[in-house]
């Protein structure tokens, strides 16, 4: 019987449990370009360009069958042509669209008597009931030896063509896109360990240095050109960089799984606040909201924030701290709905990974109820991370003529005032949040959120191991 191996966000041959399981018989490796997915509000041309590169690279390594259309229709056509088939894939923790699509595929498989074998991807536990046991599950999976590439024989099937684009979009202006494919992923990890990551801990927070010292593995991990287990195994061997840098990378690789587990356990986190009372803080934001547009287009008049957004739009990447800041300003200072702002960011991130993205968007917006809200001041962040205003001058050349300190506050040199006063907006946001957090229901509900999603590791400061009473929560303005 033919085994269809459905490649999704696992575009590699190495450490591929589904490919390994199917290898006892003829294999039909399949990639489906799904136009309805690419029409989603969180999808973009830059993500497609990277995906296309990774799929094309995979197609040089095995006779990949590429089809365009609805996954159920594609699978049914293959079943009709080949008779009884078995379906193999990794579990996908995607957005609500892929969740609904997988349910339709499961219904089709049941109706046609097709066995669908799905394997864990990363350290994510499908059907997890007890968060206390997650780290043991993740450790067992991640410490296992990566699965070698199996010997394969392939089923006869016309290969089909990989389309340039599944939608009629023009390029979205991304410059210097990250190279896709397996060799690029391995090159990044090796280069990081060989020396590029030496200043990782010191340089990761500033947008001036982060692009160089961070691993830049994120789009590869999002599409699985490198498995998490492979990345951890390779990082565990160390390199020429300080052990502290390697240890920091390894912690972040674990965070990757920790965050994705949240969305796996609660797919609705894409559209519903983790803490039920935080739903009341949401102000519906239309796509043409003027504040949303100003934030999106880097026109708020807050130079460091604008530079971060312009850099992200142009490159498809932003370091963690700046992602946290742009999200926090959108939610707190501008009062935008986190889902609307989160969709904008998702489209700009080449590395869009729903399982990290939506829990992070909620965390940086105060919607989880278990993380200490951080109301970043975008001017202070700029002065801390770009003291000479060089990043600002790069993305807003019209400010380059100002003395460095004034590049952060051009209104003090007679320039136009920003769309909000950061200090006043932060105070209002704090007052709104404090009112919600004073509700007697806030704390018990926060504890329930922690029970379901919170990290049990004391070293993991992003989730409070013991959420303090709501009124003791502090805000960093
Ligand atoms: C609002 C917001 C949205 C985000 N959306 C995404 C997203 O869609 N896709 C994505 O991959 N990351 C996302 N992140 C997390 C983080 O910013 C990126 O993983 C990181 O900047 C990617 O660069 P890198 O690969 O060089 O990271 P490195 O610092 O080199 O870290 C290595 C890997 O560890 C993981 N990692 C690092 N930081 C985090 C973190 N804070 N949480 C979870 N995993 C982490 C990533 O897989 C990353 O590739 C988001 C963060 C915020 C605040």
């Amino acid at each position: 019987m033919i085994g269809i191996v459905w490649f999704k966000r696992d575009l590699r041959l190495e450490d591929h449990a589904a490919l390994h399981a199917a290898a006892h018989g003829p294999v039909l490796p399949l990639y489906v370009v799904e136009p309805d997915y690419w029409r989603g509000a969180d999808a973009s041309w830059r993500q497609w360009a990277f995906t296309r590169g990774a799929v094309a690279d995979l197609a040089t390594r095995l006779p990949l069958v590429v089809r365009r259309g609805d996954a159920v229709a594609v699978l049914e056509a293959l079943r009709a042509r080949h008779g009884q088939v078995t379906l193999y894939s990794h579990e996908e923790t995607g957005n609500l669209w892929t969740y609904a699509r997988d349910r339709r595929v499961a219904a089709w498989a049941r109706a046609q008597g097709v066995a669908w074998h799905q394997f864990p991807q990363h350290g994510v536990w499908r059907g997890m009931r007890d968060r206390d046991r997650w780290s043991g599950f993740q450790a067992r999976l991640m410490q296992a030896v990566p699965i070698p590439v199996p010997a394969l024989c392939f089923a006869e099937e016309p290969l089909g063509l990989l389309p340039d684009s599944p939608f009629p979009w023009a390029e979205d202006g991304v410059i210097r896109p990250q190279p896709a494919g397996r060799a690029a992923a391995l090159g990044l990890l090796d280069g990081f360990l060989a020396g590029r990551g030496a200043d990782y801990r010191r340089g990761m927070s500033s947008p001036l240095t982060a692009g160089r010292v961070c691993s830049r593995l994120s789009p590869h991990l999002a599409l699985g050109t490198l498995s998490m287990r492979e990345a951890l195994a390779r990082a565990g061997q160390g390199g020429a960089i300080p052990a502290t840098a390697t240890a920091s990378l390894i912690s972040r690789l674990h965070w990757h799984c920790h965050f994705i587990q949240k969305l796996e356990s609660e797919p609705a986190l894409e559209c519903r606040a983790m803490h039920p009372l935080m739903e009341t803080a949401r102000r519906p934001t239309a796509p043409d909201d003027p504040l949303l547009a100003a934030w999106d287009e880097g026109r708020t008049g807050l130079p460091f924030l604008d530079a971060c957004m312009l850099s992200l739009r142009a490159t498809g990447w932003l370091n963690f701290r700046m992602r946290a800041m742009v999200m926090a300003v959108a939610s707190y200072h501008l009062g935008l709905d986190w889902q609307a702002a989160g969709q904008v960011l998702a489209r700009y991130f080449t590395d869009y990974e729903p399982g990290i993205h939506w829990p992070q968007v909620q965390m940086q917006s105060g919607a989880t109820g278990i993380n200490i809200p951080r109301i970043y001041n975008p001017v202070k962040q700029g002065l801390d991370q770009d003291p000479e205003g060089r990043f600002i001058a790069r993305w807003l050349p019209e400010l380059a003529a100002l003395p460095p300190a004034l590049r952060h506050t051009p209104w003090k040199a007679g320039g136009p005032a920003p769309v909000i006063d950061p200090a006043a907006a932060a105070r209002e946001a704090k007052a709104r949040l404090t009112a919600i957090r004073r509700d007697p229901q806030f704390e018990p509900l926060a504890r329930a959120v922690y029970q379901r999603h919170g990290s049990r590791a004391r070293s993991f400061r992003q989730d409070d191991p013991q959420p303090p009473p709501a009124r003791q929560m502090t805000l960093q303005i």
Side-chain angles (χ1 to χ4, degrees):
M1 190 191 298
I2 284 177
I4 298 177
V5 178
W6 181 15
F7 286 88
K8 301 204 253 176
R9 293 166 75 97
D10 49 359
L11 301 173
R12 62 179 183 273
L13 306 185
E14 296 74 6
D15 200 26
H16 201 295
L19 193 60
H20 188 263
H24 59 83
V27 168
L28 194 157
L30 172 72
Y31 184 79
V32 188
V33 180
E34 300 167 282
D36 282 353
Y37 169 82
W38 290 104
R39 275 192 276 269
D42 49 356
S44 61
W45 187 89
R46 59 190 63 190
Q47 292 161 12
W48 164 252
F50 192 85
T51 305
R52 189 185 191 286
V55 175
D57 179 59
L58 184 66
T60 63
R61 306 184 68 203
L62 84 178
L64 187 66
V65 173
V66 176
R67 293 289 179 269
R68 176 185 172 135
D70 171 57
V72 170
V74 168
L75 290 166
E76 174 54 19
L78 290 172
R79 190 198 64 80
R81 182 168 146 82
H82 291 276
Q84 202 45 278
V85 294
T86 305
L87 183 60
Y88 298 88
S89 74
H90 276 113
E91 292 164 352
E92 180 175 3
T93 309
N95 61 10
L96 285 171
W97 188 93
T98 64
Y99 180 66
R101 176 259 274 140
D102 277 356
R103 290 171 70 104
R104 284 194 300 112
V105 170
W108 162 82
R110 268 193 310 276
Q112 298 303 328
V114 172
W116 182 11
H117 301 293
Q118 297 189 75
F119 300 86
Q121 167 93 312
H122 321 302
V124 176
W125 188 351
R126 181 155 288 181
M128 180 186 75
R129 292 228 168 78
D130 179 359
R131 185 61 183 71
D132 289 344
R133 290 170 52 217
W134 178 78
S135 57
F137 170 89
Q138 196 241 10
R140 271 194 305 284
L141 218 66
M142 291 300 109
Q143 284 161 14
V145 177
I147 303 166
V149 181
L152 295 165
C153 73
F154 296 103
E156 291 274 325
E157 176 68 23
L159 297 188
L161 279 180
L162 190 55
D164 282 339
S165 174
F167 36 55
W169 291 0
E171 293 191 18
D172 62 2
V174 70
I175 50 170
R176 292 193 302 275
Q178 267 193 249
R182 175 86 181 164
L186 294 174
L188 281 176
L189 185 51
D190 286 345
F192 178 90
L193 294 169
R196 195 168 50 80
D199 269 343
Y200 181 51
R201 283 159 63 91
R202 201 172 24 202
M204 67 167 77
S205 296
S206 167
L208 288 166
T209 43
R212 181 170 41 82
V213 304
C214 289
S215 76
R216 307 300 304 272
L217 284 173
S218 50
H220 295 284
L221 292 170
L223 285 189
T225 43
L226 181 73
S227 79
M228 180 51 73
R229 189 155 45 191
E230 288 181 292
L232 281 167
R234 178 70 192 86
Q237 291 164 6
I241 60 174
T244 46
T246 320
S248 291
L249 177 70
I250 290 175
S251 330
R252 281 162 181 77
L253 294 174
H254 286 293
W255 295 358
H256 167 282
C257 303
H258 164 72
F259 275 91
I260 297 181
Q261 184 64 55
K262 297 178 198 244
L263 194 68
E264 173 64 37
S265 300
E266 194 173 351
L269 290 183
E270 183 181 327
C271 59
R272 204 171 56 213
M274 201 178 273
H275 190 294
L277 287 188
M278 291 311 298
E279 273 296 304
T280 61
R282 293 176 67 176
R283 175 174 76 80
T285 304
D288 61 350
D289 182 289
L291 280 180
L292 181 69
W295 173 79
D296 173 344
E297 293 162 18
R299 300 189 278 103
T300 64
L302 293 160
F304 187 63
L305 176 80
D306 291 344
C308 286
M309 289 304 288
L310 293 171
S311 157
L312 171 62
R313 287 165 68 108
T315 66
W317 187 84
L318 197 60
N319 62 321
F320 169 74
R321 184 178 274 260
M322 269 52 268
R323 293 188 197 207
M325 181 196 73
V326 298
M327 194 59 229
V329 174
S331 309
Y332 293 125
H333 300 75
L334 303 178
L336 302 171
D337 180 16
W338 54 259
Q339 196 181 355
Q343 273 171 353
V344 171
L345 289 184
R347 286 195 291 277
Y348 290 139
F349 292 156
T350 307
D351 62 22
Y352 174 46
E353 171 66 81
I356 301 179
H357 189 70
W358 292 110
Q360 277 287 359
V361 161
Q362 291 214 23
M363 184 164 137
Q364 307 305 339
S365 307
T368 66
I370 59 169
N371 307 107
I372 297 176
R374 289 204 162 79
I375 305 186
Y376 292 92
N377 180 328
V379 176
K380 180 179 180 303
Q381 284 299 311
L383 290 166
D384 289 350
Q385 306 302 338
D386 181 28
E388 292 159 20
R390 282 191 289 134
F391 185 72
I392 291 178
R394 188 184 303 162
W395 294 102
L396 296 162
E398 64 276 20
L399 298 181
L402 288 176
L406 283 176
R407 290 177 191 169
H408 295 274
T409 48
W411 54 92
K412 291 186 181 164
V419 292
I420 45 106
D421 168 357
R427 275 195 300 277
E428 283 168 29
K430 181 177 175 177
R432 284 198 305 272
L433 209 55
T434 306
I436 296 174
R437 294 170 86 94
R438 282 213 177 105
D439 187 306
Q441 280 309 306
F442 190 90
E443 193 186 322
L445 287 167
R447 288 189 184 278
V449 171
Y450 169 73
Q451 216 34 51
R452 184 163 190 190
H453 293 294
S455 168
R456 305 310 195 246
R458 290 220 159 257
S459 58
F460 189 87
R461 292 176 198 276
Q462 296 191 34
D463 289 348
D464 295 323
Q466 300 290 325
R471 61 192 167 280
Q472 286 175 16
M473 299 264 180
T474 57
L475 305 182
Q476 300 189 349
I477 297 183

